[in-house]
DNA sequence: TATATTTTATACGAAATTCGTCAAATGAAA
DNA sequence: TTTCATTTGACGAATTTCGTATAAAATATA
């Protein structure tokens, strides 16, 4: 029962301030738990981060499935998905994600990518089905969607792409933004993003 | 010109994460300034905090005077004041204030109290004038308003009052809330605060 | 009650971070 | 050129944080 307290307060502090700014002792103090009991439940800070990340990713996946299982029109589902992905990066704050990707433990980064890939796979399936129903632009090749998702993880690790952005988080945002906003047929969500000329390029296949 | 960059980014980071969570080197990095230039403009972290605190307090005071100088009805002015004081605690974030009061340098705490007292004095004058114009409840004694403000700083330092709250910040909120909401004749802003029985007490004079 | 388990409080050395200073190098302006 | 502001990198000192260990206190269980 103390474990839950620790997870909750740690989640709160991590989402508000990021990981590196929050101390184990701080978590213990705010959770009204002694340091001894903390190390009885978690071997170290990374362990805590992993547990939290796991909870969050599973929660995000559950929320996603919940949205897609509803009766809303597809466009509204996508809107909700986008909002979910944007506001919190799928359940976790910017600071949290940043800390994990930029300075977090490699295991956490790996796990995040793995889970992100799984989510992406699920999304891909849903989008293909949606296209078959005519809910998204028909002129986009399903192969491209597959290609895009299949290579998204690699793209994240590609130095060529990486050097275009100040932080990995920026790049990830750009990729997800591109997917959602570049895929939708109409109703630009504009303002926050600048679109390049999308006429000439169609299916970059040189990778 | 580098000094301004430092102050801006420091203000941003401090209001988002508080003081103790932010590193000098972090400020330098995000402000695109080397550590050397930082220490050319500020002798240390406390110095930076003081400069920032000074800016913020003066800004808050200026904003206050700006509100009061307008042509709005008094009640609306007070509403705006309250919103200003509430959302940001007079220009600075919760985290910032907390860090200053709970773990900040004594000079900063002293300065804050001093400035707060000055603000309070200005507010007192405005409220007395308002009462004379009939804009606030006439049944409240002007002496009480004066008493309340004159002793507000002392109350903050009074252990008797202090032990009633988890953090000093809470107490300060309570005091300011009491003043504004207890003073207004009608239109309860309710919800966020629980009111005690205000009928029996009228002018506690035992201090 | 007695006993076992959990939690707390505290101290501690080791590791890591942060601080503040400095010297050498860069670059722009007078 | 000289001057001045800035950057870079390194450095030891100070501080913080980590993770462990211990005994006392609290809580549960028999």
């Amino acid at each position: 029962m103390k474990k839950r307290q620790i997870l909750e307060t740690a989640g709160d502090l991590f989402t508000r301030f990021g990981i590196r700014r929050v101390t184990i002792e701080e978590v213990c103090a705010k959770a009204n738990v002694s340091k001894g009991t903390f190390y009885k439940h978690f071997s170290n800070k990374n362990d805590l981060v992993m547990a939290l990340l796991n909870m969050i990713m599973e929660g995000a996946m559950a929320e996603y499935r919940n949205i897609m299982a509803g009766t809303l029109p597809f466009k509204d589902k996508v809107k909700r998905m986008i909002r979910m992905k944007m506001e919190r990066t799928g359940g976790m704050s910017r600071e949290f994600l940043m800390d994990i990707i930029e300075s977090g433990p490699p295991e956490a980064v790996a796990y995040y990518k793995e889970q992100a890939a799984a989510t992406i796979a699920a999304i891909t399936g849903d989008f293909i089905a949606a296209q078959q129903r005519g809910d998204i632009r028909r002129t986009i090749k399903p192969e491209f969607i597959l290609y895009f998702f299949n290579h998204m993880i690699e793209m994240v690790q590609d130095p060529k792409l990486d050097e275009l952005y100040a932080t990995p988080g920026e790049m990830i945002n750009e990729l997800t933004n591109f997917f959602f906003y570049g895929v939708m047929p109409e109703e630009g969500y504009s303002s926050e993003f600048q679109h390049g000329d999308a006429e000439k390029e169609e299916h970059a296949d040189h990778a």
Side-chain angles (χ1 to χ4, degrees), chain A:
Chain A
M1 76 291 260
K2 291 287 180 181
K3 189 169 184 176
R4 176 163 297 281
Q5 293 178 23
I6 295 174
L7 282 170
E8 283 176 3
T9 56
D12 172 46
L13 291 172
F14 285 165
T15 51
R16 275 172 46 204
F17 305 118
I19 298 172
R20 73 181 185 283
R21 307 185 127 92
V22 177
T23 296
I24 300 246
E25 286 173 350
E26 191 184 357
V27 173
C28 293
K30 196 157 192 177
N32 292 322
V33 158
S34 74
K35 202 162 30 161
T37 46
F38 173 87
Y39 283 102
K40 191 148 294 177
H41 292 294
F42 305 95
S43 61
N44 51 32
K45 196 174 183 178
N46 285 355
D47 193 22
L48 171 63
V49 170
M50 288 299 290
L52 222 37
L53 189 55
N54 181 48
M55 273 182 58
I56 290 171
M57 293 304 268
E58 283 184 356
M61 194 57 167
E63 185 177 0
Y64 169 74
R65 294 204 190 286
N66 185 46
I67 291 175
M68 296 308 287
T71 62
L72 287 174
F74 185 76
K75 191 179 292 182
D76 293 331
K77 287 181 181 175
V78 173
K79 280 184 184 177
R80 282 227 266 161
M81 273 176 49
I82 291 176
R83 185 132 34 103
M84 175 184 113
K85 279 280 173 189
M86 287 314 181
E87 294 178 352
R88 322 151 287 143
T89 304
M92 75 188 85
S93 76
R94 283 282 177 281
E95 312 300 340
F96 196 14
L97 217 206
M98 292 292 182
D99 271 15
I100 285 180
I101 293 186
E102 291 177 358
S103 62
E107 10 160 10
V109 180
Y111 177 76
Y112 171 76
K113 284 176 182 164
E114 180 189 331
Q115 288 302 106
T119 304
I120 273 167
I123 294 176
T124 305
D126 289 334
F127 267 77
I128 290 177
Q131 192 185 38
Q132 288 170 345
R133 288 197 311 274
D135 281 333
I136 65 174
R137 176 159 63 92
R138 296 167 195 268
T139 50
I140 192 173
K141 295 184 182 179
E143 292 85 0
F144 176 74
I145 299 182
L146 282 170
Y147 167 85
F148 190 78
F149 276 134
N150 283 340
H151 290 272
M152 221 176 180
I153 306 102
E154 297 178 16
M155 290 166 80
V156 172
Q157 295 166 318
D158 187 356
K160 299 271 186 185
L161 187 64
D162 185 78
E163 67 187 4
L164 294 180
Y165 301 91
T167 69
E170 262 184 54
M171 179 175 56
I172 290 178
N173 259 347
E174 179 83 283
L175 285 171
T176 54
N177 285 353
F178 168 77
F179 172 75
F180 285 121
Y181 293 97
V183 132
M184 287 303 291
E186 48 230 354
E187 275 198 23
Y189 297 84
S190 63
S191 76
E192 297 191 53
F193 324 86
Q194 69 277 38
H195 297 270
D197 309 2
E199 294 180 340
K200 44 182 73 168
E201 68 235 42
E202 183 183 354
H203 189 173
D205 215 343
H206 51 284

